[in-house]
Amino acid sequence: MSVLRPRTLSARYARTAYLFLLPAILFFAAFFYLPIGNVVSTSLMTGPSADRFAGLGNYTQALADPAVRHSFLVTGGFALIVVAGSIVLGLGLAMALDQPLRGRVAFRVMLLVPYLTSVAIVGLLWRNILDPELGVLNRTLAALGLPEQQWLNTSPLLTIAAVTLWQSVGYTMVLFLAGLQGIPETFHEAAKIDGADAWHRFWRITLPLLAPTTLFVSVMAVISGLQAFGQAYIITNGGPGDATDLSVFHIFNVAFRARDFGYASAQSVLLLIVIVAFTLVQLRAGRRGEVQY
Amino acid sequence: MRRALLYTLLTVASLVMVLPLLYMLSLSLQTEAETLSAEAVVWPESPQWGNYAELFARAPFGDFIVNSLVVAGGITLAHLLFDPLVGYVFAKFRFPLRNTLFVALLATLMVPFFVRMIPLYVLMAHLGWINTYQGLITPFLMDAFGIFLMRQFIQPIPDDLIHAARIDGASEFAIYRRIILPQTRPALAVLGLFTFVFQWNEFLWPLVATTTPEMRTIPVGLTLFNQEYFTLWHLTAAGSVILFVPTAVLFIVTQRYFVRGIALTGLR
């Protein structure tokens, strides 16, 4: 029996590894790295077929364009509401569920159900519910003699953010629930013996020890909030006026309705930079705030 | 007292979550007159199951369903085929550039879909793949998260099992297929479940990459149907119920895995 020499053996393993990796390398090259390169190069082009070199023209134009700046502001506000809501409501529900209650599993299932719905369902269903004339909410309020709501006109951004939270808060609740269950009971017991009340235990034990979960939830909520699309496309069509002109919706319209791929690509790159910057800042802040007990 | 408060809070929250979906079911069974009546109808006088048939008559809804099944099913199969194989390589093999490739892979997690949207559209247009199944499926064949999940799951499997199989003369692919893959079943179930549900619900790319009603998936077909027949809410609701039922059934059957799967995504 021949003894295999290690050098040929490791070379053989490397060959096997690359053989198994080949489809993945081709896939990520063709559908991730090539498109990223292309979005950057297209962002330097102008014209209806994006074939005239414009240098940084699209970027300077975008940064000076009131419509683009407005869409970034709207998107930032939307993401901010979604992040705050995800943390406050998600943590609140998780803490309520993290008690020895009957029917916990049933509550968890019900709270998580909207998370399974497509943004198409979220959008269409809530557009129907909130519709000023045909909506079930106003028809019910009118029948009860109560004042009717015009939320999609009076506070459209807050309303579509609330609808987004309706869908996503079950997900953040489950994340917080997992985080809460990872905090050893002994910390709470020790604090109780030392005379700390529930309020102090929440601020001094629960919240600091949940920091990694909170960080993860806020990073995920910012990333998904900044790229929301369906809510604007389905519920408000960006309106009233341009009050809910979310960035990706704006980019979609520039690309596929106005057919300006160069300008839309530049805006995509700008939004990506914003998202990456936010993520890095959050991770930094999160690391500084980390505690060990 | 405190318990009563907790129950009230959880009940109210649960109702807020579930009632809109039950209303969607009610709406799908109402007559057009009921959807427009001044006093909102809680539950229709006599459920109009015919609404579902009418929906199929007015829009190629059968095509939508087939398209959604082909696209979400195809992408899920691809994930189950590729993600564990790639995860296995990163978990158990040493080879040049391993860390570089792994970082390059994880970096794709930072790329939101909208960044790829325009270049993918241009690429698909060049290939003539707009409005085709391959155009809808190929951008999502694998993803870094699924690969990472499988790598984490495969790493604790003892190397000795692999060495023993090599000594017995098993081929490298047979080792993967016979020894590694069977042990990853729980992770594969979670991966398959999540991939299917997300792709079934996907909206933006099928909206961009289809041009005729016959190629649309349910979320897109339904939304554009609603734009065309925006007063026929009972039919839009019927379509929403059809879109929702498969994910709801999958969820109820697998809710334990599902919850564990979400918790897992938070632990990475």
Side-chain angles (χ1 to χ4, degrees), chain A residues 7-209:
Chain A
R7 263 190 61 196
T8 50
L9 200 59
S10 71
R12 222 183 64 200
Y13 292 156
R15 213 189 56 195
T16 309
Y18 273 99
L19 202 66
F20 285 177
L21 280 184
L22 192 62
I25 291 172
L26 292 177
F27 171 80
F28 284 100
F31 293 104
F32 275 87
Y33 283 95
L34 180 71
I36 294 167
N38 282 345
V39 80
V40 173
S41 65
T42 308
S43 75
L44 304 175
M45 303 298 218
T46 189
S49 12
D51 52 3
R52 271 189 296 121
F53 185 71
L56 293 175
N58 285 322
Y59 290 94
T60 50
Q61 192 191 337
L63 292 172
D65 185 341
V68 174
R69 289 156 79 153
H70 176 77
S71 81
F72 272 88
L73 278 181
V74 164
T75 311
F78 176 85
L80 202 68
I81 304 170
V82 171
V83 172
S86 298
I87 293 175
V88 174
L89 298 175
L91 180 55
L93 289 171
M95 289 180 64
L97 260 192
D98 192 33
Q99 310 283 337
L101 295 175
R102 234 175 244 271
R104 281 179 55 188
V105 174
F107 279 127
R108 194 177 64 186
V109 166
M110 286 191 282
L111 292 168
L112 197 51
V113 159
Y115 181 59
L116 304 167
T117 58
S118 169
V119 70
I121 291 180
V122 179
L124 293 169
L125 178 59
W126 283 97
R127 212 183 84 212
N128 175 274
I129 292 174
L130 297 170
D131 189 286
E133 280 103 46
L134 301 178
V136 64
L137 196 58
N138 267 0
R139 288 191 286 145
T140 309
L141 290 173
L144 294 172
L146 294 169
E148 299 176 27
Q149 53 78 26
Q150 298 282 336
W151 294 330
L152 283 175
N153 288 320
T154 52
S155 34
L157 198 62
L158 185 64
T159 307
I160 62 167
V163 166
T164 306
L165 283 169
W166 174 79
Q167 185 200 26
S168 66
V169 82
Y171 167 71
T172 52
M173 177 197 72
V174 170
L175 291 176
F176 275 120
L177 205 52
L180 284 174
Q181 281 159 3
I183 299 177
E185 203 43 48
T186 48
F187 289 134
H188 282 284
E189 278 160 15
K192 262 187 216 167
I193 290 166
D194 289 346
D197 57 20
W199 180 252
H200 275 100
R201 291 203 304 276
F202 173 74
W203 285 102
R204 295 285 163 77
I205 296 174
T206 311
L207 217 49
L209 285 171

Side-chain angles (χ1 to χ4, degrees), chain A residues 10 12-21 23-25 27-28 30-36 38-39 42 92-93 95-97 99-103 105-121 123-129 131 134-140 142-143 165-167 169-172 174-175 178 212-213 216 220 223 226-227 229-230 233-234 248 251-252 255-257 259-261 264-265 267-269 271-272 275-276 279-280, chain B residues 2-3 6-7 9-11 13-14 16-18 20-21 23-24 27 30 34-41 82 85-86 88-90 93-98 101 103-105 107-108 110-124 129 138-144 147 163 166 172-173 176 194 197-198 200-204 207-208 219-220 222-224 226-227 230-231 233 236 240-241 243-244 247-248 251-252 255-256 258-259 262-263 265-266 268:
Chain A
S10 71
R12 222 183 64 200
Y13 292 156
R15 213 189 56 195
T16 309
Y18 273 99
L19 202 66
F20 285 177
L21 280 184
I25 291 172
F27 171 80
F28 284 100
F31 293 104
F32 275 87
Y33 283 95
L34 180 71
I36 294 167
N38 282 345
V39 80
T42 308
L93 289 171
M95 289 180 64
L97 260 192
Q99 310 283 337
L101 295 175
R102 234 175 244 271
V105 174
F107 279 127
R108 194 177 64 186
V109 166
M110 286 191 282
L111 292 168
L112 197 51
V113 159
Y115 181 59
L116 304 167
T117 58
S118 169
V119 70
I121 291 180
L124 293 169
L125 178 59
W126 283 97
R127 212 183 84 212
N128 175 274
I129 292 174
D131 189 286
L134 301 178
V136 64
L137 196 58
N138 267 0
R139 288 191 286 145
T140 309
L165 283 169
W166 174 79
Q167 185 200 26
V169 82
Y171 167 71
T172 52
V174 170
L175 291 176
T213 311
F216 180 74
M220 295 296 284
I223 291 175
L226 289 177
Q227 52 177 314
F229 167 77
Y233 183 86
I234 299 169
V248 176
I251 292 168
F252 172 88
F256 298 108
R257 288 185 178 149
R259 287 279 155 181
D260 191 342
F261 281 2
S265 296
Q267 291 176 41
S268 303
V269 174
L271 183 60
L272 176 66
I275 290 182
V276 171
T279 308
L280 292 180
Chain B
R2 199 169 140 269
R3 286 176 76 83
L6 279 177
Y7 273 114
L9 174 78
L10 287 171
T11 308
S14 301
V16 170
M17 296 301 180
V18 173
L21 292 165
Y23 176 68
M24 177 172 94
L27 195 60
Q30 296 181 15
E34 282 173 317
T35 69
L36 301 170
S37 68
E39 201 167 328
V41 175
F82 291 119
L85 181 64
V86 179
Y88 168 53
V89 173
F90 282 115
F93 281 81
R94 317 210 143 268
F95 52 91
L97 292 181
R98 184 176 86 149
L101 287 175
V103 169
L105 175 73
T108 64
M110 297 269 283
V111 184
F113 179 73
F114 73 85
V115 178
R116 299 196 291 147
M117 173 175 76
I118 295 167
L120 280 177
Y121 179 85
V122 174
L123 177 68
M124 294 303 169
W129 283 7
T138 46
F140 303 103
L141 283 179
M142 303 172 212
D143 83 344
I147 292 169
H163 293 317
R166 279 200 184 118
E172 290 294 334
F173 191 74
Y176 166 70
F194 273 77
V197 169
F198 280 107
W200 180 262
N201 289 337
E202 168 66 25
F203 186 70
L204 183 50
L207 176 70
V208 170
V220 173
L222 183 64
T223 302
L224 298 182
N226 176 266
Q227 283 179 359
F230 57 93
T231 55
W233 275 109
T236 294
S240 305
V241 171
L243 172 58
F244 181 55
T247 51
F251 172 62
I252 289 164
Q255 81 67 32
R256 248 164 241 280
F258 212 95
V259 170
I262 292 177
T265 64
R268 57 179 154 163

Side-chain angles (χ1 to χ4, degrees), chain B residues 2 11 21 24 42 49 76 83 97 99 120 122 133 137 166 211 217 264:
Chain B
R2 199 169 140 269
T11 308
L21 292 165
M24 177 172 94
V42 174
W49 296 102
T76 306
D83 289 358
L97 292 181
N99 290 343
L120 280 177
V122 174
Y133 284 141
I137 291 173
R166 279 200 184 118
T211 51
T217 57
L264 213 63

